[in-house]
Amino acid sequence: MPISNRVARLRQQSLAAAPAISAERAELMTEFYRQDLGPVSAPVRRALAFKYLMENKTVCINDGELIVGEKGPVPKATPTYPELCCHSLQDLDILNSREKIPFAVSPQVRHVYEETIIPFWQGKSMRDILFAEMTEEWKAAYEAGLFTEFMEQRSPGHTVLDDKIYRKGFLDFKQEIQQSLQKLDYLNDPEAYDKQEELKAMDICVDALIHFAERHAEKARALAEQETDPQRKQELERIAEICARVPAHAPRDFWEALQYYWFVHLGVTIELNPWDAFNPGHLDQHLNPFYQKGQADGTLARERAEELLHCFWIKFNNQPAPPKVGVTAAESSTYTDFAQINSGGLNSDGSDAVNEVTYLVLDVIEDMRLLQPSSSVQVSKKNPDRLVKRAARVIRTGFGQPSIFNSDLVVEEMVRQGKSLVDARNGGTSGCVETGAFGKENYNLTGYFNMPKVLEITLHNGVDPRTGRQIGLETGESTQFKTFDEFFEAYTKQLNYFIDIKARGNNVIERLYANYIPSPFLSLLIDDCIATGKDYHDGGARYNTTYIQGVGLGTMADALTTIKHHVFEQKNLSMGDLLAALHDDFAGHERVRQMLLNKTPKYGNDDDYADEVMVDVFEAYFNAVEGRKNTKGGAYHINLLPTTCHVYFGSVIGATPDGRKAEQPLSEGISPVQGADRRGPTAIIKSVAKMDHVRTGGTLLNQKFTPQLLKDDDDLDKLVHLVRTYFKLDGHHIKFNVIDAGTLRAAQQNPEQHRDLIVRVAGYSDYFCDLGQALQDEIIARTEHLSF
Amino acid sequence: MITGLVFDIKKFSIHDGPGIRTTIFFKGCPLTCWWCHNPESQAVGAEIVFGQGKCIRCHACLVRCEQEAISWNGDGVASTDSQKCTLCGQCVEACYTEARQIVGQKMTVAQVMEKIEEDIAFYDESGGGVTFSGGEPLLQRNFLLALLRACKEKEIHTAVDTCGFASWEKLDSIREYVDLFLYDLKLMDDASHRKFTGVPNKLILENLQALSQQGHNIALRIPIIPGVNDDDENLRRTGAFAATSLHLKRVDILPYHYTAIDKYDRLHKVYGLSETRPPLDERMAEIAQILQKFDLQVKIGG
């Protein structure tokens, strides 16, 4: 369907608006924290801070829009969170001037930071506290690039909403809070007082968001009074009515449902900057009853529903991800904030959930072609092939969306982790590929873990060859190992040592957030925080999962295969000679490098020799992480995704035994090493399916297809078959980048002419021209599957 | 043990019959079509090819060769004396950059079946299977027959891509194991056929008619080579033959492409159509219309 003039204008405005730093939130937060509140508990202090923001932040209603409310004062004005991490003047200058992903910083903003924000927050932000609490071992490993720490810049998030707001208003939540307060047993429950404070804090947040919506109602009424266009006047009056109704009460129609969600979204992302934008999850399932009702009583035409969704989509695109602190000019990051709207999948009774809104949403994704929100189709064996085929048609248009998930497997993963079947079916995926029980889980990604760096340290008996520092265990000189098994055991020891360090850090950081930065607004929305009186950061969620994301599986598989095959079995190369070649970055060892590249079994070709090594790497990582207890009553699990971290992790590692040169990117997700797969997509799928995806919380497989491969209807059917087969083999996720290398090279040469080119980076898509050169080169290098 | 010479195995083959397939390329062909895009398939025996761009001048091939068949010219480029070379493959093994490659691997039926069976999950899902192509698979009839039987034992869908230039006895022996023939029809005029493919077309047309009469499932495939067979006269004769003598419903027309030019260089062969360009989309559509007049369903591309 062609988009309306209104939507075309709003979309264009959203695309044209330059991302900027807004100091409004930082200033309000500083004003609030300067007040002497007397003795207040941490959750109540955070709730009052939230209330202060909701009372004082600018209310924005853009001309012509149907869904209202912005995170900043205007679209793409991005708030900052100095209580978590405070930008330095240097950070601001880099953000303002860097070539990729810039954020405009006005002289006024810079001035406010210099005079007010930085002096107040220096040394007090969560980032400062967090680093002060970490051990020397942790710092050494962190600086060497063994892992990253998500919570040093953003608060624990990674959660998605379920259907509760479509059934209940915030006044209903208020009642539930009162019931919980009345049930507190001060005599027998030693935590009763803490719970009272948390519940009081939640209650303050309920009122704060209702008040925020009412401010929008007032603004809409004022605008309506001045409006001369009768149609717009009527719309503004309706907007005022909606904002006076939701979120206080449950929504009555499609429009109210979307606006309600949007207020909640703003609340969550203004309270804190939780990792991965919150998102509505199974939007098609949530909206379908409202859509059907509107169709039946004649109040909602399909075109209107689509227009409302268009407006809703644009709201996401107006909110760039919060920019980092401690940035370097070279580091580019991304504007996308990983809100992944799920379509399809299963109903809570296990039946096919695909409905009319599912196809409506796919139309909207295709019409909008926006970076945000991200989108996925959840494909169960019970869903029809046409769902996948319709998704393939959108994929073919070449902007990297939607990604495709195996809904049945996602359920199985959650059930294995101990979730109830119904909660699992109501769950899905978010961020890049992460599995979660929507509305009921704090599934917290804590950082990427650099497996090939552990291998490098093992090869050097615990020393990081880049710095000469002994940061790992002394597991033996690698020239002394007699068998591959001995060597692998040394690797496993080093791996467990560094995972111990990471987990110890995580367990401290989890308590820092629970104690200092509780999140009472988010807690309102996630079961069972109200019922238990516990904060989201303090084990209030029904399920609490801690993930450490493994990176470089393909590099590991090929590097260890080299060692096993050439050093220990065929004895084509001594360990000493291999180390010498790595040390010299293969300079003067080109023939050795060619042997490693071309005469070695490689993961990704359905070759059992290399694939079995990959499975060993997977199992070692699983065993090192799985089942450890976190501080919230839950456990650690693994997932395998890199976002863009395989580029950073590669930059801290010298040459590796798979033939990769120093500082080059590692393999990405669970994909084979770039260019090592030579037998096409079916072989890749067979290889990657040899690990047990069920025991992960998400794996990421990218496939790059040139547009020609999806030219005809028949080709789309073949894509459907490919996806179905991967899922039959228990694959978790697959994503297709439809692009040809020639186009990418042209874009690299003439970025001006290819600004609209969106490519799949990892678990998400980004503008190709916004990526750094290394990442651009890496994407070009990913094997193209030309099968003609 | 029956063995055959295979020069390539391609997975996710999606234009050689229904569904997702694996295509097995047999070495050796009785025809020498000017436009052949697998020139390495033509010779019956194995061959060694050399890609200069990949060579790092390490001389490992020279050192390894026991026949002293490899020498180096002034530019540092290796040349192989085919009189001395025994195709033992030692130089290929020594060549880590894959500049030297052997075209044509001797494989057993079990080895080929192992490769075919790797993608069974994809065949099941897509209604795909295996396609035997080449070269000309019927040149290695015994090997082909053994593979076809092995596939049928495992209920794997089979297609044979043939030029049709083989004795009826050979075709007759395999046809009960073939679910689909992909039958190439190039030129109706015998003299032109001889000129551009090196053989007469009488046997090809007779075999096609015989297979059709036996009720076999046949997909007729016509490569469209500008200046060779894309004239209206040839197309009308082809259409008439397909519709009246064969009672076929469907033909595929495959536009010529010249992606194989550099393969000819590597094989030291001369490419006779270096001036020929692929047919325009408009011309392909016109050709489809000509054939549709004979009540045929025409698909552009395979």
Tab-separated table of all heavy atoms in Angstrom, chain A residues 590-591 594-595 598-599 606 678-679 681-682 685-686 709 714-715 718 721-722 724-725 728 787-788, chain B residues 10-12 14-15 19-20 58 60 92 94-98 115 118-119 121-122 124-126 299:
chain	number	residue	atom	x	y	z
A	590	GLU	N	54.630	-17.103	3.993
A	590	GLU	CA	53.422	-17.105	3.161
A	590	GLU	C	53.015	-18.524	2.760
A	590	GLU	O	51.835	-18.838	2.703
A	590	GLU	CB	53.619	-16.227	1.912
A	590	GLU	CG	52.366	-16.017	1.073
A	590	GLU	CD	51.170	-15.446	1.843
A	590	GLU	OE1	51.369	-14.770	2.863
A	590	GLU	OE2	50.023	-15.704	1.417
A	591	ARG	N	54.015	-19.377	2.502
A	591	ARG	CA	53.660	-20.740	2.109
A	591	ARG	C	52.956	-21.463	3.256
A	591	ARG	O	51.983	-22.178	3.050
A	591	ARG	CB	54.923	-21.499	1.684
A	591	ARG	CG	54.623	-22.610	0.712
A	591	ARG	CD	55.867	-23.273	0.195
A	591	ARG	NE	55.809	-24.711	0.430
A	591	ARG	CZ	54.998	-25.522	-0.207
A	591	ARG	NH1	54.152	-25.081	-1.112
A	591	ARG	NH2	55.000	-26.809	0.046
A	594	GLN	N	49.427	-20.184	3.353
A	594	GLN	CA	48.601	-20.758	2.293
A	594	GLN	C	48.179	-22.190	2.649
A	594	GLN	O	47.077	-22.615	2.346
A	594	GLN	CB	49.353	-20.735	0.951
A	594	GLN	CG	49.556	-19.328	0.394
A	594	GLN	CD	48.243	-18.626	0.079
A	594	GLN	OE1	47.253	-19.262	-0.269
A	594	GLN	NE2	48.223	-17.307	0.218
A	595	MET	N	49.068	-22.916	3.314
A	595	MET	CA	48.710	-24.268	3.743
A	595	MET	C	47.584	-24.200	4.775
A	595	MET	O	46.618	-24.959	4.715
A	595	MET	CB	49.922	-24.974	4.342
A	595	MET	CG	49.608	-26.380	4.838
A	595	MET	SD	51.037	-27.231	5.517
A	595	MET	CE	51.075	-26.570	7.172
A	598	ASN	N	44.364	-23.167	2.810
A	598	ASN	CA	43.820	-23.997	1.722
A	598	ASN	C	43.961	-25.498	1.909
A	598	ASN	O	43.319	-26.253	1.187
A	598	ASN	CB	44.480	-23.603	0.396
A	598	ASN	CG	44.178	-22.168	0.023
A	598	ASN	OD1	43.062	-21.699	0.213
A	598	ASN	ND2	45.178	-21.459	-0.475
A	599	LYS	N	44.816	-25.910	2.813
A	599	LYS	CA	45.021	-27.355	2.957
A	599	LYS	C	44.673	-27.810	4.367
A	599	LYS	O	45.348	-28.652	4.954
A	599	LYS	CB	46.479	-27.713	2.613
A	599	LYS	CG	46.918	-27.309	1.215
A	599	LYS	CD	46.359	-28.236	0.137
A	599	LYS	CE	46.729	-27.711	-1.238
A	599	LYS	NZ	46.284	-28.588	-2.332
A	606	ASP	N	30.492	-28.624	6.113
A	606	ASP	CA	29.928	-29.937	6.433
A	606	ASP	C	31.026	-30.995	6.442
A	606	ASP	O	30.832	-32.111	5.983
A	606	ASP	CB	28.802	-30.304	5.443
A	606	ASP	CG	27.920	-31.425	5.974
A	606	ASP	OD1	28.064	-31.788	7.161
A	606	ASP	OD2	27.083	-31.947	5.198
A	678	ARG	N	33.171	-22.870	1.535
A	678	ARG	CA	33.281	-22.905	0.073
A	678	ARG	C	32.242	-23.812	-0.551
A	678	ARG	O	32.309	-24.103	-1.749
A	678	ARG	CB	34.666	-23.407	-0.328
A	678	ARG	CG	35.774	-22.513	0.182
A	678	ARG	CD	37.095	-23.086	-0.238
A	678	ARG	NE	38.194	-22.253	0.225
A	678	ARG	CZ	39.440	-22.417	-0.207
A	678	ARG	NH1	39.719	-23.347	-1.092
A	678	ARG	NH2	40.394	-21.640	0.251
A	679	ARG	N	31.336	-24.328	0.238
A	679	ARG	CA	30.410	-25.315	-0.330
A	679	ARG	C	28.958	-24.857	-0.226
A	679	ARG	O	28.050	-25.664	-0.291
A	679	ARG	CB	30.633	-26.664	0.339
A	679	ARG	CG	32.047	-27.184	0.069
A	679	ARG	CD	32.263	-28.548	0.649
A	679	ARG	NE	31.484	-29.553	-0.037
A	679	ARG	CZ	31.048	-30.675	0.537
A	679	ARG	NH1	31.329	-30.915	1.795
A	679	ARG	NH2	30.345	-31.538	-0.157
A	681	PRO	N	25.388	-22.566	1.031
A	681	PRO	CA	24.576	-22.406	2.237
A	681	PRO	C	24.124	-23.712	2.872
A	681	PRO	O	23.972	-23.761	4.099
A	681	PRO	CB	23.370	-21.587	1.763
A	681	PRO	CG	23.355	-21.692	0.287
A	681	PRO	CD	24.770	-21.943	-0.143
A	682	THR	N	23.929	-24.762	2.081
A	682	THR	CA	23.467	-26.002	2.727
A	682	THR	C	24.577	-26.581	3.592
A	682	THR	O	24.320	-27.096	4.683
A	682	THR	CB	22.995	-27.058	1.696
A	682	THR	OG1	24.079	-27.392	0.830
A	682	THR	CG2	21.831	-26.543	0.869
A	685	ILE	N	24.781	-24.572	6.805
A	685	ILE	CA	23.683	-24.924	7.700
A	685	ILE	C	23.944	-26.260	8.380
A	685	ILE	O	23.752	-26.414	9.585
A	685	ILE	CB	22.349	-24.904	6.912
A	685	ILE	CG1	21.909	-23.448	6.729
A	685	ILE	CG2	21.274	-25.743	7.601
A	685	ILE	CD1	20.705	-23.263	5.836
A	686	LYS	N	24.433	-27.228	7.598
A	686	LYS	CA	24.742	-28.538	8.194
A	686	LYS	C	25.805	-28.382	9.280
A	686	LYS	O	25.699	-28.975	10.347
A	686	LYS	CB	25.227	-29.516	7.111
A	686	LYS	CG	24.137	-30.075	6.211
A	686	LYS	CD	23.238	-31.121	6.864
A	686	LYS	CE	23.982	-32.336	7.429
A	686	LYS	NZ	24.600	-33.181	6.377
A	709	LEU	N	19.958	-14.139	-6.463
A	709	LEU	CA	19.580	-15.439	-5.911
A	709	LEU	C	18.122	-15.482	-5.473
A	709	LEU	O	17.594	-16.537	-5.180
A	709	LEU	CB	20.470	-15.767	-4.719
A	709	LEU	CG	21.657	-16.649	-5.044
A	709	LEU	CD1	22.512	-16.859	-3.827
A	709	LEU	CD2	21.193	-17.992	-5.584
A	714	ASP	N	10.143	-18.834	-7.566
A	714	ASP	CA	10.738	-20.142	-7.243
A	714	ASP	C	11.906	-19.988	-6.282
A	714	ASP	O	12.101	-20.805	-5.390
A	714	ASP	CB	11.292	-20.805	-8.517
A	714	ASP	CG	10.188	-21.434	-9.340
A	714	ASP	OD1	9.028	-21.387	-8.885
A	714	ASP	OD2	10.492	-21.959	-10.425
A	715	ASP	N	12.688	-18.932	-6.508
A	715	ASP	CA	13.861	-18.715	-5.654
A	715	ASP	C	13.417	-18.462	-4.218
A	715	ASP	O	14.057	-18.915	-3.267
A	715	ASP	CB	14.674	-17.505	-6.132
A	715	ASP	CG	15.156	-17.677	-7.561
A	715	ASP	OD1	15.337	-18.834	-7.980
A	715	ASP	OD2	15.329	-16.661	-8.247
A	718	LYS	N	12.750	-21.586	-2.573
A	718	LYS	CA	13.991	-22.278	-2.173
A	718	LYS	C	14.512	-21.683	-0.855
A	718	LYS	O	15.032	-22.401	-0.003
A	718	LYS	CB	15.068	-22.154	-3.256
A	718	LYS	CG	14.637	-22.635	-4.641
A	718	LYS	CD	14.760	-24.135	-4.810
A	718	LYS	CE	13.918	-24.678	-5.948
A	718	LYS	NZ	14.378	-24.355	-7.278
A	721	HIS	N	12.582	-23.157	1.855
A	721	HIS	CA	13.036	-24.524	2.126
A	721	HIS	C	14.337	-24.529	2.926
A	721	HIS	O	14.537	-25.349	3.821
A	721	HIS	CB	13.247	-25.291	0.815
A	721	HIS	CG	12.001	-25.457	0.011
A	721	HIS	ND1	10.800	-25.833	0.569
A	721	HIS	CD2	11.769	-25.291	-1.308
A	721	HIS	CE1	9.883	-25.895	-0.379
A	721	HIS	NE2	10.446	-25.563	-1.528
A	722	LEU	N	15.208	-23.601	2.578
A	722	LEU	CA	16.489	-23.504	3.276
A	722	LEU	C	16.258	-23.191	4.762
A	722	LEU	O	16.829	-23.832	5.646
A	722	LEU	CB	17.305	-22.380	2.617
A	722	LEU	CG	18.817	-22.420	2.694
A	722	LEU	CD1	19.379	-23.697	2.097
A	722	LEU	CD2	19.391	-21.211	1.947
A	724	ARG	N	13.432	-23.599	6.477
A	724	ARG	CA	12.710	-24.710	7.121
A	724	ARG	C	13.668	-25.851	7.465
A	724	ARG	O	13.529	-26.485	8.508
A	724	ARG	CB	11.607	-25.224	6.193
A	724	ARG	CG	10.428	-24.275	6.041
A	724	ARG	CD	9.546	-24.302	7.267
A	724	ARG	NE	8.230	-23.738	7.003
A	724	ARG	CZ	7.328	-23.513	7.948
A	724	ARG	NH1	7.574	-23.796	9.212
A	724	ARG	NH2	6.153	-23.001	7.634
A	725	THR	N	14.611	-26.126	6.564
A	725	THR	CA	15.538	-27.229	6.838
A	725	THR	C	16.443	-26.875	8.011
A	725	THR	O	16.686	-27.705	8.893
A	725	THR	CB	16.383	-27.561	5.595
A	725	THR	OG1	15.522	-27.713	4.480
A	725	THR	CG2	17.178	-28.841	5.802
A	728	LYS	N	14.468	-27.372	11.011
A	728	LYS	CA	14.256	-28.800	11.265
A	728	LYS	C	15.485	-29.390	11.966
A	728	LYS	O	15.375	-30.292	12.784
A	728	LYS	CB	14.006	-29.503	9.932
A	728	LYS	CG	13.465	-30.899	10.037
A	728	LYS	CD	12.824	-31.352	8.730
A	728	LYS	CE	13.854	-31.567	7.635
A	728	LYS	NZ	13.254	-32.054	6.378
A	787	SER	N	25.163	-19.144	-6.707
A	787	SER	CA	24.984	-20.553	-7.059
A	787	SER	C	24.560	-20.726	-8.509
A	787	SER	O	24.049	-21.754	-8.884
A	787	SER	CB	23.962	-21.179	-6.117
A	787	SER	OG	23.928	-22.564	-6.285
A	788	PHE	N	24.773	-19.702	-9.312
A	788	PHE	CA	24.345	-19.840	-10.705
A	788	PHE	C	25.482	-20.302	-11.593
A	788	PHE	O	26.625	-19.959	-11.351
A	788	PHE	CB	23.835	-18.482	-11.217
A	788	PHE	CG	22.502	-18.142	-10.640
A	788	PHE	CD1	22.391	-17.546	-9.409
A	788	PHE	CD2	21.343	-18.472	-11.327
A	788	PHE	CE1	21.173	-17.250	-8.868
A	788	PHE	CE2	20.107	-18.175	-10.782
A	788	PHE	CZ	20.015	-17.559	-9.553
B	10	LYS	N	28.353	-29.806	-6.790
B	10	LYS	CA	27.823	-28.508	-6.374
B	10	LYS	C	26.553	-28.690	-5.552
B	10	LYS	O	25.593	-29.313	-6.000
B	10	LYS	CB	27.517	-27.675	-7.619
B	10	LYS	CG	27.245	-26.230	-7.310
B	10	LYS	CD	27.276	-25.424	-8.594
B	10	LYS	CE	27.431	-23.963	-8.309
B	10	LYS	NZ	27.487	-23.190	-9.538
B	11	LYS	N	26.599	-28.095	-4.346
B	11	LYS	CA	25.407	-28.166	-3.482
B	11	LYS	C	24.549	-26.922	-3.671
B	11	LYS	O	24.978	-25.957	-4.291
B	11	LYS	CB	25.867	-28.253	-2.039
B	11	LYS	CG	26.662	-29.501	-1.772
B	11	LYS	CD	26.987	-29.590	-0.305
B	11	LYS	CE	27.499	-30.989	-0.009
B	11	LYS	NZ	27.230	-31.360	1.360
B	12	PHE	N	23.380	-26.950	-3.069
B	12	PHE	CA	22.414	-25.853	-3.222
B	12	PHE	C	22.311	-25.458	-4.689
B	12	PHE	O	22.381	-24.309	-5.075
B	12	PHE	CB	22.793	-24.644	-2.358
B	12	PHE	CG	21.657	-23.649	-2.214
B	12	PHE	CD1	20.452	-24.041	-1.658
B	12	PHE	CD2	21.788	-22.337	-2.635
B	12	PHE	CE1	19.399	-23.140	-1.517
B	12	PHE	CE2	20.733	-21.424	-2.505
B	12	PHE	CZ	19.540	-21.836	-1.939
B	14	ILE	N	20.027	-24.906	-7.529
B	14	ILE	CA	18.582	-24.635	-7.503
B	14	ILE	C	17.986	-24.421	-8.880
B	14	ILE	O	16.820	-24.074	-9.001
B	14	ILE	CB	18.230	-23.453	-6.556
B	14	ILE	CG1	18.963	-22.185	-6.957
B	14	ILE	CG2	18.512	-23.813	-5.107
B	14	ILE	CD1	18.533	-20.959	-6.138
B	15	HIS	N	18.776	-24.634	-9.929
B	15	HIS	CA	18.222	-24.462	-11.275
B	15	HIS	C	18.451	-25.678	-12.155
B	15	HIS	O	18.468	-25.573	-13.366
B	15	HIS	CB	18.788	-23.200	-11.929
B	15	HIS	CG	18.197	-21.944	-11.340
B	15	HIS	ND1	18.638	-20.696	-11.649
B	15	HIS	CD2	17.199	-21.760	-10.445
B	15	HIS	CE1	17.940	-19.786	-10.988
B	15	HIS	NE2	17.066	-20.425	-10.231
B	19	GLY	N	13.355	-28.270	-6.604
B	19	GLY	CA	13.835	-28.216	-5.223
B	19	GLY	C	15.308	-27.888	-5.106
B	19	GLY	O	15.953	-27.438	-6.055
B	20	ILE	N	15.812	-28.125	-3.910
B	20	ILE	CA	17.239	-27.914	-3.641
B	20	ILE	C	17.971	-29.205	-3.988
B	20	ILE	O	17.597	-30.274	-3.526
B	20	ILE	CB	17.458	-27.539	-2.157
B	20	ILE	CG1	16.793	-26.189	-1.856
B	20	ILE	CG2	18.945	-27.523	-1.820
B	20	ILE	CD1	16.791	-25.797	-0.387
B	58	CYS	N	56.590	-20.178	-5.271
B	58	CYS	CA	57.349	-20.874	-4.230
B	58	CYS	C	58.102	-22.073	-4.792
B	58	CYS	O	58.945	-22.644	-4.108
B	58	CYS	CB	56.419	-21.309	-3.093
B	58	CYS	SG	55.299	-22.653	-3.533
B	60	ALA	N	57.315	-25.045	-5.208
B	60	ALA	CA	57.114	-26.340	-4.556
B	60	ALA	C	56.687	-27.405	-5.563
B	60	ALA	O	57.059	-28.573	-5.443
B	60	ALA	CB	56.070	-26.215	-3.455
B	92	VAL	N	49.852	-30.830	-7.362
B	92	VAL	CA	48.635	-30.196	-6.853
B	92	VAL	C	48.638	-30.247	-5.321
B	92	VAL	O	48.298	-29.282	-4.646
B	92	VAL	CB	47.384	-30.895	-7.439
B	92	VAL	CG1	46.120	-30.380	-6.779
B	92	VAL	CG2	47.326	-30.702	-8.940
B	94	ALA	N	51.242	-30.344	-3.480
B	94	ALA	CA	52.303	-29.455	-2.981
B	94	ALA	C	51.918	-27.980	-3.103
B	94	ALA	O	52.512	-27.131	-2.454
B	94	ALA	CB	53.596	-29.711	-3.740
B	95	CYS	N	50.942	-27.708	-3.946
B	95	CYS	CA	50.597	-26.309	-4.205
B	95	CYS	C	49.595	-25.805	-3.172
B	95	CYS	O	48.401	-26.052	-3.273
B	95	CYS	CB	50.023	-26.155	-5.610
B	95	CYS	SG	49.592	-24.442	-5.963
B	96	TYR	N	50.101	-25.096	-2.166
B	96	TYR	CA	49.237	-24.665	-1.062
B	96	TYR	C	48.294	-23.534	-1.452
B	96	TYR	O	47.300	-23.282	-0.773
B	96	TYR	CB	50.103	-24.235	0.125
B	96	TYR	CG	50.826	-25.367	0.802
B	96	TYR	CD1	51.858	-25.110	1.700
B	96	TYR	CD2	50.477	-26.692	0.561
B	96	TYR	CE1	52.527	-26.144	2.343
B	96	TYR	CE2	51.143	-27.731	1.186
B	96	TYR	CZ	52.171	-27.453	2.078
B	96	TYR	OH	52.819	-28.470	2.701
B	97	THR	N	48.624	-22.815	-2.509
B	97	THR	CA	47.764	-21.674	-2.862
B	97	THR	C	46.596	-22.099	-3.743
B	97	THR	O	45.745	-21.287	-4.072
B	97	THR	CB	48.554	-20.604	-3.636
B	97	THR	OG1	48.924	-21.156	-4.905
B	97	THR	CG2	49.785	-20.153	-2.871
B	98	GLU	N	46.587	-23.341	-4.153
B	98	GLU	CA	45.574	-23.877	-5.071
B	98	GLU	C	45.670	-23.253	-6.459
B	98	GLU	O	44.696	-23.211	-7.205
B	98	GLU	CB	44.160	-23.711	-4.500
B	98	GLU	CG	43.990	-24.473	-3.199
B	98	GLU	CD	42.570	-24.454	-2.664
B	98	GLU	OE1	41.875	-23.452	-2.875
B	98	GLU	OE2	42.155	-25.461	-2.067
B	115	LYS	N	28.551	-37.793	-0.438
B	115	LYS	CA	28.339	-36.365	-0.699
B	115	LYS	C	26.854	-36.082	-0.971
B	115	LYS	O	26.305	-35.094	-0.497
B	115	LYS	CB	29.171	-35.899	-1.896
B	115	LYS	CG	30.657	-35.942	-1.651
B	115	LYS	CD	31.052	-34.867	-0.641
B	115	LYS	CE	32.425	-35.133	-0.065
B	115	LYS	NZ	32.651	-34.481	1.217
B	118	GLU	N	24.680	-36.053	2.164
B	118	GLU	CA	24.872	-34.979	3.135
B	118	GLU	C	23.688	-34.005	3.160
B	118	GLU	O	23.360	-33.448	4.189
B	118	GLU	CB	26.166	-34.199	2.816
B	118	GLU	CG	27.417	-34.916	3.274
B	118	GLU	CD	28.705	-34.224	2.834
B	118	GLU	OE1	28.645	-33.245	2.042
B	118	GLU	OE2	29.771	-34.677	3.266
B	119	ASP	N	23.068	-33.809	2.018
B	119	ASP	CA	22.008	-32.788	1.945
B	119	ASP	C	20.591	-33.373	1.864
B	119	ASP	O	19.665	-32.708	1.411
B	119	ASP	CB	22.270	-31.839	0.767
B	119	ASP	CG	23.242	-30.728	1.163
B	119	ASP	OD1	23.771	-30.789	2.291
B	119	ASP	OD2	23.475	-29.817	0.353
B	121	ALA	N	18.416	-33.801	4.076
B	121	ALA	CA	17.412	-32.996	4.801
B	121	ALA	C	16.849	-31.892	3.909
B	121	ALA	O	15.669	-31.554	3.989
B	121	ALA	CB	18.035	-32.396	6.063
B	122	PHE	N	17.699	-31.334	3.056
B	122	PHE	CA	17.250	-30.259	2.163
B	122	PHE	C	16.376	-30.816	1.033
B	122	PHE	O	15.405	-30.190	0.635
B	122	PHE	CB	18.457	-29.513	1.585
B	122	PHE	CG	19.260	-28.815	2.639
B	122	PHE	CD1	20.340	-29.448	3.247
B	122	PHE	CD2	18.922	-27.543	3.063
B	122	PHE	CE1	21.066	-28.819	4.238
B	122	PHE	CE2	19.645	-26.899	4.057
B	122	PHE	CZ	20.722	-27.543	4.650
B	124	ASP	N	14.486	-33.446	1.228
B	124	ASP	CA	13.201	-33.816	1.837
B	124	ASP	C	12.296	-32.590	1.962
B	124	ASP	O	11.108	-32.641	1.659
B	124	ASP	CB	13.422	-34.391	3.242
B	124	ASP	CG	13.989	-35.801	3.204
B	124	ASP	OD1	14.104	-36.352	2.089
B	124	ASP	OD2	14.306	-36.330	4.276
B	125	GLU	N	12.889	-31.501	2.424
B	125	GLU	CA	12.101	-30.305	2.678
B	125	GLU	C	11.611	-29.662	1.386
B	125	GLU	O	10.506	-29.128	1.320
B	125	GLU	CB	12.953	-29.309	3.472
B	125	GLU	CG	12.223	-28.077	3.928
B	125	GLU	CD	11.090	-28.362	4.900
B	125	GLU	OE1	11.260	-29.214	5.785
B	125	GLU	OE2	10.023	-27.727	4.754
B	126	SER	N	12.447	-29.724	0.340
B	126	SER	CA	12.179	-28.936	-0.865
B	126	SER	C	11.671	-29.763	-2.037
B	126	SER	O	11.367	-29.209	-3.084
B	126	SER	CB	13.457	-28.218	-1.292
B	126	SER	OG	14.429	-29.161	-1.712
B	299	LYS	N	9.803	-21.297	-19.857
B	299	LYS	CA	10.392	-20.634	-18.691
B	299	LYS	C	11.760	-20.104	-19.086
B	299	LYS	O	12.560	-20.808	-19.689
B	299	LYS	CB	10.524	-21.622	-17.535
B	299	LYS	CG	11.042	-20.964	-16.279
B	299	LYS	CD	10.677	-21.756	-15.031
B	299	LYS	CE	11.084	-20.988	-13.782
B	299	LYS	NZ	12.452	-21.228	-13.362
